[in-house]
Amino acid sequence: MHIKKAQYLISSPSYEKCPTPDRPEYAFIGRSNVGKSSLLNMLTNNEKLAKTSNSPGKTQMINHFEIISVDKPGDAKETKWFLVDLPGYGFAKVSLRSRRKWEQMIENYLKKRENLIQVFVLIDARHTPQKLDLDFIKNIELWQVPYSLIFTKADKEKQAVVSKNVKSFLERLRETQQFLPQHFVSSSVKKTGREKVLKLIEEMNEDYSSHP
């Protein structure tokens, strides 16, 4: 897949206010400091697409980006899809009321957005399994939302530590799940995992177009 164009479209306070669900949509979510903006910029090859911040919790609405892709540079046939940046869960310097409002907004979006094909849950590869991440995954399993895992910041820790943390996380999931989700290990700095994630999206786009 070659990203021909990626641009910010709209920020919505609820799933009802989101753009018309007329194309496949892929949402990205994770803890507030997981490196989501950097990952989105890396995937789209656009460093200015999603705003990165040192202050966790900056994303407060459902942010839609319009993506136009082709199989390879120069191809005439274009595919249009939505990339969605969701508010992070966990640490954020906001009131409990605001946090609950976010949680309800995210839950409604994940459960009711009809063109949502896949949710990519971002996990910080530098850490051992965290309860916040495991609890969130437990919820999307309960809601029967299709998802994959992306382990981020793989360049910021030794490879042996990253591998151990990924293995530990998957083992924790295996305790309660019969089937493990697809997972990717990524680095926004080294662009690790980019091609594999885009390949999955490309395959899902093709499946969507053949079964609209």
Side-chain angles (χ1 to χ4, degrees), residues 34-45 122-126 149-157 159 162 166 184-197:
V34 78
K36 180 159 45 74
S37 296
S38 296
L39 178 82
L40 297 182
N41 293 345
M42 182 266 281
L43 289 175
T44 57
N45 211 20
L122 277 54
I123 309 293
D124 193 327
R126 299 173 299 172
L149 303 177
I150 300 180
F151 292 90
T152 62
K153 303 186 179 183
D155 61 290
K156 300 190 184 301
E157 187 54 271
Q159 189 58 49
V162 170
V166 170
F184 306 89
V185 177
S186 77
S187 161
S188 298
V189 175
K190 297 183 177 180
K191 297 187 182 292
T192 311
R194 181 178 187 269
E195 294 304 320
K196 290 182 178 179
V197 173

Side-chain angles (χ1 to χ4, degrees), residues 18-90:
C18 289
T20 303
D22 59 356
R23 66 195 69 174
E25 185 161 302
Y26 305 90
F28 291 75
I29 191 169
R31 292 179 65 151
S32 298
N33 56 351
V34 78
K36 180 159 45 74
S37 296
S38 296
L39 178 82
L40 297 182
N41 293 345
M42 182 266 281
L43 289 175
T44 57
N45 211 20
N46 183 344
E47 292 182 3
K48 297 180 179 179
L49 188 72
K51 294 178 181 177
T52 57
S53 171
N54 290 325
S55 303
K58 285 292 185 182
T59 304
Q60 299 185 19
M61 291 201 278
I62 302 167
N63 299 307
H64 272 78
F65 297 89
E66 183 179 55
I67 312 296
I68 299 176
S69 62
V70 291
D71 286 347
K72 56 182 182 294
D75 281 0
K77 185 184 176 184
E78 297 179 341
T79 301
K80 294 182 179 181
W81 46 282
F82 289 131
L83 183 156
V84 177
D85 181 7
L86 292 172
Y89 53 82

Side-chain angles (χ1 to χ4, degrees), residues 4 71 83 86 100 110 118 121 136 144 157 161-162 199:
K4 192 173 179 181
D71 286 347
L83 183 156
L86 292 172
R100 283 177 176 160
L110 292 176
Q118 188 87 345
V121 182
F136 181 77
Q144 297 183 319
E157 187 54 271
V161 175
V162 170
K199 178 67 175 173

